[in-house]
């Protein structure tokens, strides 16, 4: 089903501001957008989920999420509210669906103080995608960031391992030669997201 409204969820340490270029592109395609800003270090699940429920309002909806935002989207679907049943598609960009290797290493080294309550999402280990909403997982393989130092020889976008973006039950997995943050601003990625949203 073609969706005409979209919730955009940013990643760790970010806000809705960084997602504005993507939102503008989607609005040009006729989408109604909720660019939801939330505290990534102290995420209030109840408040986030209530905003999602209110916006969805019985309309077919897609969730477009960067990094940790995809894990927030998963938690929302798992909560199983009536409105969550209207989510048709979830499109994630650089989301560590299987859990974040970098967050795990930071916790092991005693640096989890920099992650605060985000670990509730980032350290979750998920083996599959059990929801009715179709999952389209976008990944990057341009390793600009800490990951090459933490996991030498690995494939990553510099922050998230390529393997972390793959999960059983996803509808599609697509890799772009982009880093973790640059994929938010890529015209190629924006066009691909638009195609997915317009696809029936």
């Amino acid at each position: 089903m073609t969706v005409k409204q979209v919730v955009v969820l940013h990643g760790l340490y970010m806000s809705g501001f960084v997602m504005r270029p993507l939102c503008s592109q989607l609005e040009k395609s006729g989408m109604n957008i909720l660019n939801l800003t939330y505290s990534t270090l102290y995420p209030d699940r109840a408040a986030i989920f209530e905003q999602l429920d209110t916006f969805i309002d019985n309309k077919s909806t897609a969730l477009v999420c960067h990094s940790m935002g995809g894990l927030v989207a998963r938690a929302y679907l798992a909560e199983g509210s009536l409105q969550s049943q209207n989510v048709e598609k979830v499109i994630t960009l650089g989301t560590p669906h299987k859990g974040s290797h970098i967050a795990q290493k930071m916790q092991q080294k005693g640096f989890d103080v920099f992650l605060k309550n985000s670990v509730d999402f980032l350290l979750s280990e998920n083996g599959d995608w059990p929801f009715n909403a179709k999952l389209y997982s976008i990944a990057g393989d341009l390793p600009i960031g800490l990951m090459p130092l933490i996991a030498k020889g690995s494939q990553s976008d510099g922050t998230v391992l390529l393997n972390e973006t793959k999960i059983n039950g996803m509808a599609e997995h697509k890799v772009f030669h982009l880093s973790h943050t640059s994929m938010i601003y890529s015209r190629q990625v924006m066009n691909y997201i638009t195609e997915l949203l317009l696809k029936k």
Side-chain angles (χ1 to χ4, degrees), residues 120-190:
D120 293 342
F121 294 98
L122 295 174
L123 296 183
S124 58
E125 297 181 5
N126 306 302
D128 60 4
W129 182 262
F131 311 107
N132 290 329
K134 289 186 177 181
L135 173 64
Y136 300 90
S137 179
I138 298 170
D141 65 0
L142 183 59
I144 299 175
L146 291 175
M147 189 60 80
L149 302 176
I150 294 173
K152 294 181 179 179
S154 63
Q155 287 185 298
S156 77
D157 61 12
T159 301
V160 172
L161 293 169
L162 194 60
N163 187 55
E164 291 172 344
T165 65
K166 300 176 182 177
I167 193 167
N168 292 331
M170 61 185 176
E172 192 169 311
H173 184 260
K174 191 169 181 68
V175 181
F176 293 88
H177 191 53
L178 296 165
S179 66
H180 190 66
T181 301
S182 67
M183 70 177 76
I184 301 174
Y185 303 107
S186 164
R187 179 66 61 181
Q188 190 179 12
V189 171
M190 289 182 188

Side-chain angles (χ1 to χ4, degrees), residues 82-98:
L82 185 62
Q83 293 301 330
S84 72
Q85 306 307 311
N86 293 297
V87 176
E88 301 283 341
K89 300 173 183 178
V90 177
I91 302 171
T92 60
L93 294 79
T95 291
H97 291 286
K98 294 178 180 175

Side-chain angles (χ1 to χ4, degrees), residues 102-117:
I102 261 187
Q104 184 182 54
K105 288 297 182 183
M106 287 178 70
Q107 186 181 56
Q108 290 172 356
K109 299 293 183 180
F111 295 126
D112 50 332
V113 64
F114 297 108
L115 298 171
K116 304 295 184 183
N117 295 347

